[in-house]
Amino acid sequence: MKVIPENLPRAPEPLPSPVFDSHTHLDIVAAERGTAGSGWSAAAQIEAAAKVGVDRLVQVGVDVASSAWGADLATRENAVVATVALHPNEAPRLADLDAAFAEIVALASQPRVRGVGETGLDFFRTTGEGLKAQELSFRYHIALAKQVGKPLIVHDRDAHADILRVLDDEGAPDRVVMHCFSGDADFARECVRRGFHLSFAGTVTFKNAPHLREAAALAPLDQILVETDAPYLTPMPFRGKPNASYLIPLTVRAIAETRGVPLTEVCEAISANGERLLGPW
């Protein structure tokens, strides 16, 4: 049986040194592809990624159900660690934010749960009164990350200044990951100055994203991560097609080319950053 379904992009050339995917949604990939007869289960996705040198994955929660699912998966799959959270666009939809967050708190202390997120602010999909619940939820998650001593994974869409405002106001945790970094060089400098890690998705490969490549070039190598955010943000040349962790090598190669450094050096730095942030898998 083929590891990768025929309707997905072909596998890229394997990396010379293993890296990890700092942000993926194995459950959403499986649901969107359909698991009946396709072989595209979480286990198959993990296998496909390993074949190209992506040997570790971070399964990210976006609500109570996905957070619980990820926490359970991480206890069964050695290649996976989990994060738990209420997504910024989920918080305003909840009838009882405090009750849902209490369930996230209960999950956050599990040893295979290594981070709190994705949380943050999203001014693209949430507007008006919903922004109050979104910011309150973000503050809850910041406090939780500090309480359990785990990294905070930040979702930031069209909200750069307010993300920094809230983090500065609350006091950022020791470890912060800017998921799917989307800012320009100036914003990158502000994040780097605060010690945050910038996680670059397939968007860094897009022709219309020179600002992301500029950010990737200026950030210290020990503050750079890569991610898929699968099934979204598929790197070139497969933009618009479904994404999955096995396509990470395309993004890693783009960052190495942008920085003008050997591919192996970038791989080794990304891998070390993951171990430092999240601990051993």
Side-chain angles (χ1 to χ4, degrees):
M1 181 175 66
K2 292 184 177 180
V3 174
I4 301 171
E6 292 182 355
N7 56 346
L8 295 184
R10 65 182 181 274
E13 181 182 350
L15 292 168
S17 182
V19 302
F20 77 110
D21 183 349
S22 76
H23 194 115
T24 190
H25 303 282
L26 296 164
D27 51 336
I28 301 176
V29 174
E32 290 202 351
R33 303 319 306 160
T35 56
S38 73
W40 204 232
S41 62
Q45 293 174 59
I46 294 165
E47 181 182 355
K51 286 180 179 295
V52 296
V54 184
D55 63 347
R56 289 150 291 158
L57 313 174
V58 182
Q59 165 63 24
V60 175
V62 296
D63 54 22
V64 171
S66 66
S67 294
W69 184 89
D72 177 68
L73 178 71
T75 66
R76 296 181 283 105
E77 294 283 357
N78 291 335
V80 176
V81 294
T83 72
V84 298
L86 305 174
H87 190 281
N89 294 322
E90 174 73 5
R93 295 195 288 259
L94 293 168
D96 191 337
L97 173 62
D98 288 345
F101 187 70
E103 296 193 60
I104 298 300
V105 171
L107 292 167
S109 61
Q110 294 187 18
R112 294 291 290 173
V113 171
R114 300 291 178 80
V116 174
E118 60 185 284
T119 181
L121 301 173
D122 189 318
F123 293 172
F124 181 77
R125 296 194 183 279
T126 297
T127 58
E129 287 299 309
L131 295 176
K132 293 180 181 179
Q134 193 175 86
E135 182 168 322
L136 178 62
S137 178
F138 186 23
R139 291 178 184 273
Y140 282 178
H141 285 80
I142 293 169
L144 176 60
K146 291 191 287 188
Q147 176 186 326
V148 296
K150 296 179 181 181
L152 181 76
I153 291 79
V154 177
H155 172 108
D156 165 22
R157 189 164 187 186
D158 297 345
H160 304 330
D162 286 277
I163 287 287
L164 296 182
R165 172 181 60 81
V166 175
L167 284 168
D168 290 348
D169 185 42
E170 291 290 327
D174 292 337
R175 292 167 290 170
V176 174
V177 176
M178 300 300 291
H179 146 60
C180 187
F181 183 82
S182 58
D184 59 13
D186 288 340
F187 184 60
R189 291 187 184 94
E190 287 299 316
C191 292
V192 166
R193 183 173 65 82
R194 289 168 170 80
F196 301 167
H197 283 70
L198 312 186
S199 185
F200 291 94
T203 45
V204 77
T205 71
F206 294 177
K207 291 182 179 179
N208 64 346
H211 63 291
L212 295 182
R213 289 184 286 279
E214 186 176 356
L218 69 84
L221 199 51
D222 63 1
Q223 287 177 250
I224 284 181
L225 304 174
V226 291
E227 64 174 84
T228 53
D229 196 23
Y232 317 110
L233 307 179
T234 311
M236 295 293 291
F238 302 114
R239 183 178 183 179
K241 295 183 179 297
N243 201 4
S245 293
Y246 75 96
L247 294 175
I248 274 281
L250 298 171
T251 303
V252 179
R253 285 188 166 89
I255 290 174
E257 181 178 348
T258 294
R259 296 181 65 93
V261 298
L263 179 59
T264 299
E265 181 180 339
V266 174
C267 292
E268 290 175 350
I270 289 168
S271 185
N273 294 344
E275 295 281 329
R276 189 172 61 253
L277 276 169
L278 300 163
W281 263 249

